């Protein structure tokens, strides 16, 4: 992947074995391609993955092979992927954390094709620094309806004095994320997210669901608030998805959110041109925009 004029690629001391190994066979995306992509986005991605407990979707043989969702270490884990004790479960299996780009490169070497962080850092385990609302549409839902749902969540956050940021999921929907001053507890944050989801479902039952009932998903958008409990995760900004197309979860500016951009529009292959064309980071002020959560 070529370096863009606006980015210097991050350096790593991690030795990639078989860098030519293909992770997305139909798209020709290799292990080396993935490291190059992450090097490109690292300055923007780092605050959302560094010093956070991580859950990983590992696909050692690429997206068409076996896959494992892992929160704990495996045999031969790279030393740049740290193990850290959960303060509420000090005798349990240790969780995983990275500190720098070497850690991210080690995740790629370990075939971690999706990175799902907690919504907090290990500096304040019990105080989340974001609320994540996941809009998961049924297969028959128009993209314009998903955009409308995201705009409604933005308005509800604004009523609470919270800023909001939007990103593609890299799958089917959108994530609307509000940065928080890390003061409220996990139960408080989850309760607010749940209230937003139930409020949208109650106000527009023909549009939204707030319960994960597969049988009822047709014709509705599921407002998934369950990303906000302690130990729950959501895919990181800029993380790849282990799906055909090599899509990534891409942060957007709200004015970009139109029907021209779909949930999987941005990929490992086209991200370089996006960062070149749009040098401003739409999430650059994410943490600066944080406010405390009001009950």
């Amino acid at each position: 992947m070529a370096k863009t004029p606006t980015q210097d690629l991050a350096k790593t001391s991690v030795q990639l074995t078989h860098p030519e190994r293909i992770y997305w066979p139909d798209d020709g995306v290799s292990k080396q391609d993935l490291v190059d992509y992450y090097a490109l986005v690292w300055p923007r991605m780092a605050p959302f993955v560094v010093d956070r407990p991580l859950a990983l979707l590992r696909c050692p043989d690429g997206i068409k092979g076996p896959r494992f969702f892992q929160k704990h270490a495996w045999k031969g884990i790279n030393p740049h992927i740290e193990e850290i004790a959960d303060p509420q479960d000090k005798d349990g299996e240790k969780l995983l954390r990275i500190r720098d780009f070497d850690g991210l490169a080690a995740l790629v070497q370990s075939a971690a094709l999706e990175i799902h962080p907690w919504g907090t850092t290990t500096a304040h385990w019990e105080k989340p620094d974001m609320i994540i609302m996941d809009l998961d549409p049924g297969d028959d839902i128009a993209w314009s309806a998903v955009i409308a749902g995201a705009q409604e969540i933005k308005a509800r956050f604004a009523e609470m004095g919270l800023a909001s940021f939007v990103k593609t999921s890299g799958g089917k929907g959108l994530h609307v994320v509000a940065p928080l001053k890390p003061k409220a507890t996990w139960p408080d944050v989850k309760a607010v997210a749940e209230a937003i989801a139930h409020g949208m479902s109650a106000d527009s039952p023909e549009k939204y669901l707030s319960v994960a009932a597969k049988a009822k998903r047709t014709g509705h958008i599921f407002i998934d608030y369950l990303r906000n409990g302690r130990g729950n995760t959501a895919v990181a900004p800029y993380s790849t998805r282990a799906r055909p197309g090599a899509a990534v979860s891409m942060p957007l500016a709200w004015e970009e959110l139109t029907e021209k951009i779909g949930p999987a529009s941005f990929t490992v292959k086209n991200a370089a041109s996006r960062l070149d064309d749009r040098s401003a980071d739409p999430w650059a002020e994410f943490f600066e925009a944080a406010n405390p959560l009001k009950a």
Side-chain angles (χ1 to χ4, degrees):
M1 180 178 293
K3 184 175 77 172
T4 75
T6 56
Q7 294 282 339
D8 289 322
L9 295 186
K11 305 294 184 183
T12 180
S13 62
V14 173
Q15 180 65 43
L16 294 185
T17 59
H18 303 290
E20 75 286 351
R21 178 167 292 157
I22 300 295
Y23 283 156
W24 284 267
D26 293 341
D27 305 284
V29 176
S30 69
K31 183 187 294 188
Q32 185 66 60
D33 293 331
L34 185 52
V35 168
D36 290 345
Y37 160 73
Y38 278 137
L40 185 68
V41 301
W42 177 247
R44 301 182 181 198
M45 183 182 189
F48 300 98
V49 293
V50 166
D51 291 334
R52 295 176 183 271
L54 302 176
L56 308 169
L57 183 61
R58 294 180 62 222
C59 307
D61 297 318
I63 66 167
K64 294 189 175 181
R67 52 185 60 201
F68 315 94
F69 199 71
Q70 294 189 286
K71 298 181 179 181
H72 309 294
W74 53 90
K75 185 177 180 180
I77 191 169
N78 189 289
H80 290 288
I81 305 170
E82 294 187 358
E83 297 181 67
I84 182 170
D86 182 339
Q88 285 196 8
D89 187 19
K90 292 182 179 179
D91 296 326
E93 284 192 84
K94 291 184 177 180
L95 300 176
L96 304 176
R97 172 177 72 180
I98 63 172
R99 294 282 198 153
D100 50 29
F101 184 71
D102 281 341
L104 184 55
L107 294 182
V108 174
Q109 168 62 19
S110 303
L113 302 190
E114 294 190 7
I115 303 169
H116 296 247
W118 286 30
T120 194
T121 73
T122 54
H124 40 77
W125 283 82
E126 308 309 326
K127 305 291 179 68
D129 60 8
M130 61 183 72
I131 303 180
I132 303 165
M133 304 298 290
D134 179 1
L135 290 91
D136 184 6
D139 293 336
D140 58 339
I141 295 297
W143 184 237
S144 58
V146 183
I147 293 173
Q151 296 284 3
E152 182 169 341
I153 292 174
K154 179 186 180 186
R156 289 176 183 252
F157 276 145
E159 290 174 359
M160 300 169 61
L162 298 177
S164 55
F165 295 76
V166 66
K167 66 184 179 76
T168 64
S169 68
K172 296 193 305 178
L174 290 168
H175 294 170
V176 180
V177 188
L180 299 176
K181 295 289 187 186
K183 297 181 180 297
T185 63
W186 287 108
D188 290 338
V189 170
K190 185 176 180 181
V192 167
E194 183 175 7
I196 291 172
H198 289 336
M200 291 177 67
S201 178
D203 290 348
S204 303
E206 75 286 1
K207 295 180 181 178
Y208 304 119
L209 287 175
S210 56
V211 293
K214 291 280 188 183
K216 298 180 180 179
R217 196 72 62 87
T218 301
H220 292 82
I221 299 170
F222 172 43
I223 309 297
D224 185 355
Y225 63 88
L226 298 173
R227 311 289 179 176
N228 299 287
R230 190 183 193 280
N232 297 134
T233 62
V235 71
Y238 300 102
S239 172
T240 52
R241 304 307 303 267
R243 306 179 184 196
V248 303
S249 181
M250 181 62 74
L252 304 173
W254 279 103
E255 60 268 21
E256 291 184 281
L257 190 57
T258 69
E259 293 189 55
K260 294 180 180 179
I261 290 178
S265 289
F266 299 102
T267 71
V268 171
K269 287 189 169 184
N270 68 23
S273 60
R274 169 174 170 79
L275 269 66
D276 188 16
D277 294 341
R278 184 183 177 84
S279 59
D281 177 359
W283 282 34
E285 305 301 320
F286 184 91
F287 293 104
E288 287 77 2
N291 282 318
L293 183 68
K294 298 176 183 177

mmCIF file with all atom_site columns, all heavy atoms in Angstrom, residues 140-157:
data_model
loop_
_atom_site.group_PDB
_atom_site.id
_atom_site.type_symbol
_atom_site.label_atom_id
_atom_site.label_alt_id
_atom_site.label_comp_id
_atom_site.label_asym_id
_atom_site.label_entity_id
_atom_site.label_seq_id
_atom_site.pdbx_PDB_ins_code
_atom_site.Cartn_x
_atom_site.Cartn_y
_atom_site.Cartn_z
_atom_site.occupancy
_atom_site.B_iso_or_equiv
_atom_site.pdbx_formal_charge
_atom_site.auth_seq_id
_atom_site.auth_comp_id
_atom_site.auth_asym_id
_atom_site.auth_atom_id
_atom_site.pdbx_PDB_model_num
ATOM 1   N N   . ASP A 1 140 ? -34.243 -5.823 4.967  1.00 0.00 ? 140 ASP A N   1
ATOM 2   C CA  . ASP A 1 140 ? -35.148 -5.109 4.061  1.00 0.00 ? 140 ASP A CA  1
ATOM 3   C C   . ASP A 1 140 ? -35.208 -3.608 4.341  1.00 0.00 ? 140 ASP A C   1
ATOM 4   O O   . ASP A 1 140 ? -36.045 -2.905 3.775  1.00 0.00 ? 140 ASP A O   1
ATOM 5   C CB  . ASP A 1 140 ? -36.556 -5.697 4.175  1.00 0.00 ? 140 ASP A CB  1
ATOM 6   C CG  . ASP A 1 140 ? -37.108 -5.634 5.595  1.00 0.00 ? 140 ASP A CG  1
ATOM 7   O OD1 . ASP A 1 140 ? -36.300 -5.519 6.539  1.00 0.00 ? 140 ASP A OD1 1
ATOM 8   O OD2 . ASP A 1 140 ? -38.337 -5.708 5.760  1.00 0.00 ? 140 ASP A OD2 1
ATOM 9   N N   . ILE A 1 141 ? -34.321 -3.104 5.177  1.00 0.00 ? 141 ILE A N   1
ATOM 10  C CA  . ILE A 1 141 ? -34.376 -1.702 5.582  1.00 0.00 ? 141 ILE A CA  1
ATOM 11  C C   . ILE A 1 141 ? -33.545 -0.837 4.631  1.00 0.00 ? 141 ILE A C   1
ATOM 12  O O   . ILE A 1 141 ? -32.393 -1.160 4.326  1.00 0.00 ? 141 ILE A O   1
ATOM 13  C CB  . ILE A 1 141 ? -33.856 -1.531 7.018  1.00 0.00 ? 141 ILE A CB  1
ATOM 14  C CG1 . ILE A 1 141 ? -34.781 -2.244 7.995  1.00 0.00 ? 141 ILE A CG1 1
ATOM 15  C CG2 . ILE A 1 141 ? -33.728 -0.064 7.396  1.00 0.00 ? 141 ILE A CG2 1
ATOM 16  C CD1 . ILE A 1 141 ? -36.177 -1.698 8.029  1.00 0.00 ? 141 ILE A CD1 1
ATOM 17  N N   . ALA A 1 142 ? -34.116 0.266  4.190  1.00 0.00 ? 142 ALA A N   1
ATOM 18  C CA  . ALA A 1 142 ? -33.404 1.200  3.316  1.00 0.00 ? 142 ALA A CA  1
ATOM 19  C C   . ALA A 1 142 ? -32.307 1.902  4.100  1.00 0.00 ? 142 ALA A C   1
ATOM 20  O O   . ALA A 1 142 ? -32.455 2.204  5.295  1.00 0.00 ? 142 ALA A O   1
ATOM 21  C CB  . ALA A 1 142 ? -34.375 2.229  2.743  1.00 0.00 ? 142 ALA A CB  1
ATOM 22  N N   . TRP A 1 143 ? -31.205 2.193  3.422  1.00 0.00 ? 143 TRP A N   1
ATOM 23  C CA  . TRP A 1 143 ? -30.085 2.865  4.071  1.00 0.00 ? 143 TRP A CA  1
ATOM 24  C C   . TRP A 1 143 ? -30.497 4.244  4.582  1.00 0.00 ? 143 TRP A C   1
ATOM 25  O O   . TRP A 1 143 ? -30.025 4.700  5.626  1.00 0.00 ? 143 TRP A O   1
ATOM 26  C CB  . TRP A 1 143 ? -28.922 2.960  3.097  1.00 0.00 ? 143 TRP A CB  1
ATOM 27  C CG  . TRP A 1 143 ? -27.666 3.553  3.656  1.00 0.00 ? 143 TRP A CG  1
ATOM 28  C CD1 . TRP A 1 143 ? -26.987 4.647  3.190  1.00 0.00 ? 143 TRP A CD1 1
ATOM 29  C CD2 . TRP A 1 143 ? -26.919 3.093  4.792  1.00 0.00 ? 143 TRP A CD2 1
ATOM 30  N NE1 . TRP A 1 143 ? -25.875 4.893  3.958  1.00 0.00 ? 143 TRP A NE1 1
ATOM 31  C CE2 . TRP A 1 143 ? -25.814 3.953  4.952  1.00 0.00 ? 143 TRP A CE2 1
ATOM 32  C CE3 . TRP A 1 143 ? -27.092 2.041  5.693  1.00 0.00 ? 143 TRP A CE3 1
ATOM 33  C CZ2 . TRP A 1 143 ? -24.877 3.801  5.970  1.00 0.00 ? 143 TRP A CZ2 1
ATOM 34  C CZ3 . TRP A 1 143 ? -26.162 1.885  6.714  1.00 0.00 ? 143 TRP A CZ3 1
ATOM 35  C CH2 . TRP A 1 143 ? -25.066 2.756  6.842  1.00 0.00 ? 143 TRP A CH2 1
ATOM 36  N N   . SER A 1 144 ? -31.390 4.905  3.881  1.00 0.00 ? 144 SER A N   1
ATOM 37  C CA  . SER A 1 144 ? -31.863 6.215  4.325  1.00 0.00 ? 144 SER A CA  1
ATOM 38  C C   . SER A 1 144 ? -32.515 6.135  5.701  1.00 0.00 ? 144 SER A C   1
ATOM 39  O O   . SER A 1 144 ? -32.433 7.077  6.505  1.00 0.00 ? 144 SER A O   1
ATOM 40  C CB  . SER A 1 144 ? -32.857 6.800  3.310  1.00 0.00 ? 144 SER A CB  1
ATOM 41  O OG  . SER A 1 144 ? -33.961 5.927  3.133  1.00 0.00 ? 144 SER A OG  1
ATOM 42  N N   . ALA A 1 145 ? -33.160 5.016  6.006  1.00 0.00 ? 145 ALA A N   1
ATOM 43  C CA  . ALA A 1 145 ? -33.792 4.843  7.311  1.00 0.00 ? 145 ALA A CA  1
ATOM 44  C C   . ALA A 1 145 ? -32.741 4.674  8.410  1.00 0.00 ? 145 ALA A C   1
ATOM 45  O O   . ALA A 1 145 ? -32.936 5.135  9.539  1.00 0.00 ? 145 ALA A O   1
ATOM 46  C CB  . ALA A 1 145 ? -34.730 3.637  7.287  1.00 0.00 ? 145 ALA A CB  1
ATOM 47  N N   . VAL A 1 146 ? -31.634 4.026  8.084  1.00 0.00 ? 146 VAL A N   1
ATOM 48  C CA  . VAL A 1 146 ? -30.545 3.874  9.061  1.00 0.00 ? 146 VAL A CA  1
ATOM 49  C C   . VAL A 1 146 ? -29.927 5.244  9.359  1.00 0.00 ? 146 VAL A C   1
ATOM 50  O O   . VAL A 1 146 ? -29.642 5.578  10.512 1.00 0.00 ? 146 VAL A O   1
ATOM 51  C CB  . VAL A 1 146 ? -29.479 2.891  8.540  1.00 0.00 ? 146 VAL A CB  1
ATOM 52  C CG1 . VAL A 1 146 ? -28.396 2.681  9.592  1.00 0.00 ? 146 VAL A CG1 1
ATOM 53  C CG2 . VAL A 1 146 ? -30.113 1.552  8.166  1.00 0.00 ? 146 VAL A CG2 1
ATOM 54  N N   . ILE A 1 147 ? -29.748 6.042  8.312  1.00 0.00 ? 147 ILE A N   1
ATOM 55  C CA  . ILE A 1 147 ? -29.225 7.399  8.502  1.00 0.00 ? 147 ILE A CA  1
ATOM 56  C C   . ILE A 1 147 ? -30.167 8.204  9.392  1.00 0.00 ? 147 ILE A C   1
ATOM 57  O O   . ILE A 1 147 ? -29.731 8.912  10.309 1.00 0.00 ? 147 ILE A O   1
ATOM 58  C CB  . ILE A 1 147 ? -29.028 8.089  7.137  1.00 0.00 ? 147 ILE A CB  1
ATOM 59  C CG1 . ILE A 1 147 ? -27.908 7.394  6.346  1.00 0.00 ? 147 ILE A CG1 1
ATOM 60  C CG2 . ILE A 1 147 ? -28.718 9.572  7.320  1.00 0.00 ? 147 ILE A CG2 1
ATOM 61  C CD1 . ILE A 1 147 ? -27.752 7.905  4.928  1.00 0.00 ? 147 ILE A CD1 1
ATOM 62  N N   . ALA A 1 148 ? -31.467 8.087  9.146  1.00 0.00 ? 148 ALA A N   1
ATOM 63  C CA  . ALA A 1 148 ? -32.444 8.807  9.961  1.00 0.00 ? 148 ALA A CA  1
ATOM 64  C C   . ALA A 1 148 ? -32.372 8.372  11.418 1.00 0.00 ? 148 ALA A C   1
ATOM 65  O O   . ALA A 1 148 ? -32.489 9.199  12.341 1.00 0.00 ? 148 ALA A O   1
ATOM 66  C CB  . ALA A 1 148 ? -33.853 8.597  9.404  1.00 0.00 ? 148 ALA A CB  1
ATOM 67  N N   . GLY A 1 149 ? -32.164 7.080  11.639 1.00 0.00 ? 149 GLY A N   1
ATOM 68  C CA  . GLY A 1 149 ? -32.021 6.581  13.005 1.00 0.00 ? 149 GLY A CA  1
ATOM 69  C C   . GLY A 1 149 ? -30.795 7.151  13.688 1.00 0.00 ? 149 GLY A C   1
ATOM 70  O O   . GLY A 1 149 ? -30.838 7.515  14.878 1.00 0.00 ? 149 GLY A O   1
ATOM 71  N N   . ALA A 1 150 ? -29.692 7.233  12.947 1.00 0.00 ? 150 ALA A N   1
ATOM 72  C CA  . ALA A 1 150 ? -28.471 7.818  13.513 1.00 0.00 ? 150 ALA A CA  1
ATOM 73  C C   . ALA A 1 150 ? -28.686 9.284  13.869 1.00 0.00 ? 150 ALA A C   1
ATOM 74  O O   . ALA A 1 150 ? -28.233 9.753  14.925 1.00 0.00 ? 150 ALA A O   1
ATOM 75  C CB  . ALA A 1 150 ? -27.324 7.674  12.515 1.00 0.00 ? 150 ALA A CB  1
ATOM 76  N N   . GLN A 1 151 ? -29.385 10.005 13.007 1.00 0.00 ? 151 GLN A N   1
ATOM 77  C CA  . GLN A 1 151 ? -29.661 11.420 13.276 1.00 0.00 ? 151 GLN A CA  1
ATOM 78  C C   . GLN A 1 151 ? -30.541 11.575 14.513 1.00 0.00 ? 151 GLN A C   1
ATOM 79  O O   . GLN A 1 151 ? -30.381 12.522 15.294 1.00 0.00 ? 151 GLN A O   1
ATOM 80  C CB  . GLN A 1 151 ? -30.325 12.063 12.063 1.00 0.00 ? 151 GLN A CB  1
ATOM 81  C CG  . GLN A 1 151 ? -29.473 12.115 10.812 1.00 0.00 ? 151 GLN A CG  1
ATOM 82  C CD  . GLN A 1 151 ? -28.406 13.195 10.847 1.00 0.00 ? 151 GLN A CD  1
ATOM 83  O OE1 . GLN A 1 151 ? -28.244 13.904 11.838 1.00 0.00 ? 151 GLN A OE1 1
ATOM 84  N NE2 . GLN A 1 151 ? -27.654 13.317 9.762  1.00 0.00 ? 151 GLN A NE2 1
ATOM 85  N N   . GLU A 1 152 ? -31.475 10.635 14.716 1.00 0.00 ? 152 GLU A N   1
ATOM 86  C CA  . GLU A 1 152 ? -32.326 10.709 15.906 1.00 0.00 ? 152 GLU A CA  1
ATOM 87  C C   . GLU A 1 152 ? -31.512 10.461 17.175 1.00 0.00 ? 152 GLU A C   1
ATOM 88  O O   . GLU A 1 152 ? -31.709 11.146 18.197 1.00 0.00 ? 152 GLU A O   1
ATOM 89  C CB  . GLU A 1 152 ? -33.481 9.715  15.819 1.00 0.00 ? 152 GLU A CB  1
ATOM 90  C CG  . GLU A 1 152 ? -34.396 9.808  17.028 1.00 0.00 ? 152 GLU A CG  1
ATOM 91  C CD  . GLU A 1 152 ? -35.693 9.033  16.879 1.00 0.00 ? 152 GLU A CD  1
ATOM 92  O OE1 . GLU A 1 152 ? -36.071 8.712  15.734 1.00 0.00 ? 152 GLU A OE1 1
ATOM 93  O OE2 . GLU A 1 152 ? -36.316 8.762  17.918 1.00 0.00 ? 152 GLU A OE2 1
ATOM 94  N N   . ILE A 1 153 ? -30.594 9.508  17.129 1.00 0.00 ? 153 ILE A N   1
ATOM 95  C CA  . ILE A 1 153 ? -29.738 9.277  18.297 1.00 0.00 ? 153 ILE A CA  1
ATOM 96  C C   . ILE A 1 153 ? -28.886 10.508 18.574 1.00 0.00 ? 153 ILE A C   1
ATOM 97  O O   . ILE A 1 153 ? -28.711 10.918 19.732 1.00 0.00 ? 153 ILE A O   1
ATOM 98  C CB  . ILE A 1 153 ? -28.862 8.023  18.081 1.00 0.00 ? 153 ILE A CB  1
ATOM 99  C CG1 . ILE A 1 153 ? -29.735 6.768  18.075 1.00 0.00 ? 153 ILE A CG1 1
ATOM 100 C CG2 . ILE A 1 153 ? -27.801 7.923  19.180 1.00 0.00 ? 153 ILE A CG2 1
ATOM 101 C CD1 . ILE A 1 153 ? -28.988 5.503  17.722 1.00 0.00 ? 153 ILE A CD1 1
ATOM 102 N N   . LYS A 1 154 ? -28.365 11.114 17.520 1.00 0.00 ? 154 LYS A N   1
ATOM 103 C CA  . LYS A 1 154 ? -27.586 12.349 17.688 1.00 0.00 ? 154 LYS A CA  1
ATOM 104 C C   . LYS A 1 154 ? -28.413 13.406 18.406 1.00 0.00 ? 154 LYS A C   1
ATOM 105 O O   . LYS A 1 154 ? -27.917 14.082 19.333 1.00 0.00 ? 154 LYS A O   1
ATOM 106 C CB  . LYS A 1 154 ? -27.140 12.868 16.312 1.00 0.00 ? 154 LYS A CB  1
ATOM 107 C CG  . LYS A 1 154 ? -26.347 14.156 16.362 1.00 0.00 ? 154 LYS A CG  1
ATOM 108 C CD  . LYS A 1 154 ? -26.063 14.690 14.960 1.00 0.00 ? 154 LYS A CD  1
ATOM 109 C CE  . LYS A 1 154 ? -25.269 15.985 15.008 1.00 0.00 ? 154 LYS A CE  1
ATOM 110 N NZ  . LYS A 1 154 ? -25.099 16.591 13.668 1.00 0.00 ? 154 LYS A NZ  1
ATOM 111 N N   . ALA A 1 155 ? -29.670 13.562 18.004 1.00 0.00 ? 155 ALA A N   1
ATOM 112 C CA  . ALA A 1 155 ? -30.535 14.565 18.629 1.00 0.00 ? 155 ALA A CA  1
ATOM 113 C C   . ALA A 1 155 ? -30.797 14.232 20.089 1.00 0.00 ? 155 ALA A C   1
ATOM 114 O O   . ALA A 1 155 ? -30.814 15.125 20.952 1.00 0.00 ? 155 ALA A O   1
ATOM 115 C CB  . ALA A 1 155 ? -31.853 14.663 17.859 1.00 0.00 ? 155 ALA A CB  1
ATOM 116 N N   . ARG A 1 156 ? -30.981 12.956 20.390 1.00 0.00 ? 156 ARG A N   1
ATOM 117 C CA  . ARG A 1 156 ? -31.226 12.556 21.784 1.00 0.00 ? 156 ARG A CA  1
ATOM 118 C C   . ARG A 1 156 ? -29.981 12.775 22.641 1.00 0.00 ? 156 ARG A C   1
ATOM 119 O O   . ARG A 1 156 ? -30.090 13.189 23.806 1.00 0.00 ? 156 ARG A O   1
ATOM 120 C CB  . ARG A 1 156 ? -31.714 11.112 21.837 1.00 0.00 ? 156 ARG A CB  1
ATOM 121 C CG  . ARG A 1 156 ? -33.137 10.943 21.310 1.00 0.00 ? 156 ARG A CG  1
ATOM 122 C CD  . ARG A 1 156 ? -33.594 9.494  21.274 1.00 0.00 ? 156 ARG A CD  1
ATOM 123 N NE  . ARG A 1 156 ? -34.927 9.374  20.710 1.00 0.00 ? 156 ARG A NE  1
ATOM 124 C CZ  . ARG A 1 156 ? -36.035 9.089  21.394 1.00 0.00 ? 156 ARG A CZ  1
ATOM 125 N NH1 . ARG A 1 156 ? -35.973 8.921  22.711 1.00 0.00 ? 156 ARG A NH1 1
ATOM 126 N NH2 . ARG A 1 156 ? -37.207 8.989  20.791 1.00 0.00 ? 156 ARG A NH2 1
ATOM 127 N N   . PHE A 1 157 ? -28.817 12.484 22.089 1.00 0.00 ? 157 PHE A N   1
ATOM 128 C CA  . PHE A 1 157 ? -27.585 12.790 22.819 1.00 0.00 ? 157 PHE A CA  1
ATOM 129 C C   . PHE A 1 157 ? -27.483 14.303 23.071 1.00 0.00 ? 157 PHE A C   1
ATOM 130 O O   . PHE A 1 157 ? -27.092 14.735 24.156 1.00 0.00 ? 157 PHE A O   1
ATOM 131 C CB  . PHE A 1 157 ? -26.366 12.310 22.042 1.00 0.00 ? 157 PHE A CB  1
ATOM 132 C CG  . PHE A 1 157 ? -26.015 10.856 22.237 1.00 0.00 ? 157 PHE A CG  1
ATOM 133 C CD1 . PHE A 1 157 ? -25.488 10.104 21.187 1.00 0.00 ? 157 PHE A CD1 1
ATOM 134 C CD2 . PHE A 1 157 ? -26.176 10.235 23.463 1.00 0.00 ? 157 PHE A CD2 1
ATOM 135 C CE1 . PHE A 1 157 ? -25.145 8.774  21.368 1.00 0.00 ? 157 PHE A CE1 1
ATOM 136 C CE2 . PHE A 1 157 ? -25.833 8.897  23.654 1.00 0.00 ? 157 PHE A CE2 1
ATOM 137 C CZ  . PHE A 1 157 ? -25.325 8.168  22.603 1.00 0.00 ? 157 PHE A CZ  1
#
